[in-house]
């Protein structure tokens, strides 16, 4: 496949900003998002950076960002365009969607856009599902390479190095394919002020989710969300001898 045909679709989720201390809602139904700073999912920033680099190297011709969610997701799409996406699509819905529903909506967008590569985050940091890319690849019948730390595209294939337990694995997948980004794939750039201004003029289309004819009814329900147990504070010892004494007499294996 030549670069003429190489369109990259980058799904982008709007999530609670990674610097925010997440609070669980009083009714334990989920995490508090009202009045909380929201941003682009960090793994999606990495996926987007990789897609933009492919275009800068002349290996991709177009980078299209797509976000599924309410009208507020326009802000992360504008950021995506400021970083380098050529255009963006908001698949608009007010429903809270599980990965299966997101993957079905993304599959419908893939059918419309016909990208050669879907480059996405390995997981969204809000609910850590780590599922959407894998489900999407299965729905499309496409190869998948998850947890990418190196991506090289040539001759209609992607060579993807994946981080696995105890090492790296390199796969070669035929395009079109789904690749999910791991932390070490790259270091995403910041959007510069001039590019933020330019991004305002880039096209942002809205597609109502209902229009895609997808059954988004939930198959799973969240039973309960709870805070992790509070850890007891540590102690500072005065000397190595005191440390040894504490280890011998007080430390317990839990
Ligand atoms: P998850 O399976 O929920 O951990 O998410 C994995 C990846 O799927 C994310 O990094 C995004 O690239 C994509 N994704 C998940 N939810 C959405 C969404 N609502 N809109 C766009 N992309 C999404």
């Amino acid at each position: 496949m030549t670069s003429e045909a190489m369109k990259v679709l980058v799904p982008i989720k709007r999530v609670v900003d990674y610097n925010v201390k997440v609070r669980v809602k009083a009714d334990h139904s989920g995490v508090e998002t009202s009045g909380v700073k929201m941003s682009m999912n960090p793994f999606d920033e990495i996926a987007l950076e990789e897609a933009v680099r492919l275009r800068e190297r002349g290996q991709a011709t177009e980078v299209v960002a797509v976000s599924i969610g309410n009208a507020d997701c326009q802000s992360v799409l504008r950021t995506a365009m400021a970083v380098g996406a050529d255009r963006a699509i908001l698949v608009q819905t007010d429903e809270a969607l599980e990965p299966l529903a997101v993957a079905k909506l993304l599959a419908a967008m893939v059918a419309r856009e016909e990208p050669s590569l879907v480059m996405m985050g390995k997981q969204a940091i809000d609910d850590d599902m780590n599922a959407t890319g894998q489900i999407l690849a299965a729905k499309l019948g496409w190869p998948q390479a998850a947890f990418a730390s190196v991506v090289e595209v040539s001759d209609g294939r992607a060579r993807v190095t994946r981080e696995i337990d105890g090492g790296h694995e390199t796969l070669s997948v035929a395009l079109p394919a789904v690749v999910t980004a791991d932390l070490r794939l790259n270091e995403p750039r910041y959007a510069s002020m001039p590019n933020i201004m330019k991004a305002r003029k880039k096209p942002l289309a809205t597609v109502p989710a209902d229009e895609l004819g997808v059954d988004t009814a939930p198959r799973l329900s969240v039973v309960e969300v709870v805070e992790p147990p509070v850890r007891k504070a540590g102690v500072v010892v005065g000397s190595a001898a005191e440390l040894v004494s504490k280890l011998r007499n007080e430390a317990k294996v839990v």
Side-chain angles (χ1 to χ4, degrees), residues 11-13 41 43-44 66-68 99 102 106 120-124 127-132:
I12 296 204
K13 188 172 189 189
N41 181 43
F43 291 106
D44 304 352
V66 53
S67 191
I68 301 170
V102 172
L106 288 175
M120 54 202 289
K122 71 166 183 179
Q123 84 194 52
D127 46 21
D128 283 340
M129 286 289 188
N130 185 347
T132 309

Side-chain angles (χ1 to χ4, degrees), residues 62-100:
E62 197 183 22
V63 176
V64 182
V66 53
S67 191
I68 301 170
N70 63 21
D72 294 335
C73 296
Q74 286 176 2
S75 62
V76 289
L77 290 173
R78 286 280 168 219
T79 306
M81 291 191 286
V83 167
D86 298 291
R87 59 188 172 90
I89 305 165
L90 169 64
V91 177
Q92 195 165 349
T93 173
D94 287 331
E95 278 177 70
L97 299 175
E98 61 192 39
L100 177 63

